[in-house]
Amino acid sequence: MPAADAFIERLQNARDAARSLAGATTDAKNAALEAIAVGLERSAPSIVDANAQDLERGEQNEIGAGLLDRLRLDEPRVRALAGAVREIIALPDPVGQVVRGSTLANGIGISQVRVPFGVIGAIYEARPNVTIDIAALALKSGNGVVLRGGSAAEQTNAALVDVVQRAISSVGLDGGAVQTIDPFGREGAGRLMRARGYVDVLIPRGSAALISTVVTESTVPVIETGSGVVHVYVDETADDDMAVDIALNAKTHRPSVCNAAETLLVHRGAADRLLPRLTDALREADVSMYGDAATVERIAGIAPADEETWATEHLALEMGIRIVDSLDEALAHIDRYSTRHTEAIVTRDYASAERFLAEVDSAVVMVNASTRFTDGGEFGFGAEVGISTQKLHARGPMGLPELTSTKWLVRGAGQIR
């Protein structure tokens, strides 16, 4: 393990680089992003080799299918990361954007403009794609970044950070803007949470336990990203084919991610018509289902659900199913068990749709669409730092503007008060 002072040295390097990066032109930052994309493409074989080491260790440590899926990087996924970086190039640079402004009666001009945070810290687990997403978004928004990607992805993250640092330096910017503290292990994660003065904001991504630990133990301000106990509610008026397509996609498209549905709520008026089709489709996709008493009574082969079922983020091909008597009961269930991430309703009733949109208190609320669309790339952000489930500063998928703060610029001509 590196010496303790080497930890502070990395944080200081990120802070020094952030100061110069804050004044970099958009063209310079875009050139660095293109260099990162090219570097990823050229280094794909070595990145995949490093990832194979992490995957082998993960299998030996039995980290589970969900984490292994998140951990895996093959060459198509590496190319997709390069593509996401290039999408960020095309996005507007938020730094210097004027949020609002005016001229006061005394002639003083005031304007509120976007500025970088400074240094962003990120703690995440077995998600090497996050290494690139956060590094690229931090670069475009003028921030330095300190990454703690966890032991499960240590070899992959080291390879990715090396590509990023060399790419940034190749265009004349300070490659020290991106740092990893993975070599410092759990102790480093704890020190990062207490690195007030070096790190301006901390963003955790991962399990509910990891996020809770960061929120409760950090002295650095935290933007809380949340686990996803995500619901799809099938209303009495739902179109049959649409209901099956959305429920199946929301659960099975990529079950290991936070926007995958974990609970299916079905209106009693649609249960006899739709529940057999829904459960047949889910069973065909190898989804293990747990149902309330009314569901178990109707559908053979479904295990009984318990209280834990409704509160669990499975991150796997598992799903709870409950029959509800009304929209009110669906809303009450969601209010009790939701992690405030994403909820969806499938309905042809306009009033029910609008009420669902208005009353569900989650970061993203959907009508007649799969919950899998809660994603920075799908929202047109190029990539995302995470999906915020808190209500201060940022909520939902976080892109470039969410990685900035603001300051007020005041221009006078000798006025005094």
Side-chain angles (χ1 to χ4, degrees), residues 136-167:
L137 288 166
L139 174 61
K140 182 71 178 252
S141 56
N143 293 288
V145 65
V146 178
L147 304 169
R148 160 62 178 166
S151 59
E154 187 167 354
Q155 298 300 318
T156 312
N157 287 333
L160 292 172
V161 169
D162 180 62
V163 169
V164 169
Q165 290 177 334
R166 286 189 287 107

Side-chain angles (χ1 to χ4, degrees), residues 37-38 85 129 168 185 193 217 224 265-266 301 303 315 338 365 386 393:
V38 171
V85 172
N129 64 296
I168 294 173
M193 288 184 247
E217 296 185 10
E224 183 176 355
L265 304 174
V266 182
L315 300 175
S338 171
V365 188
H393 171 65

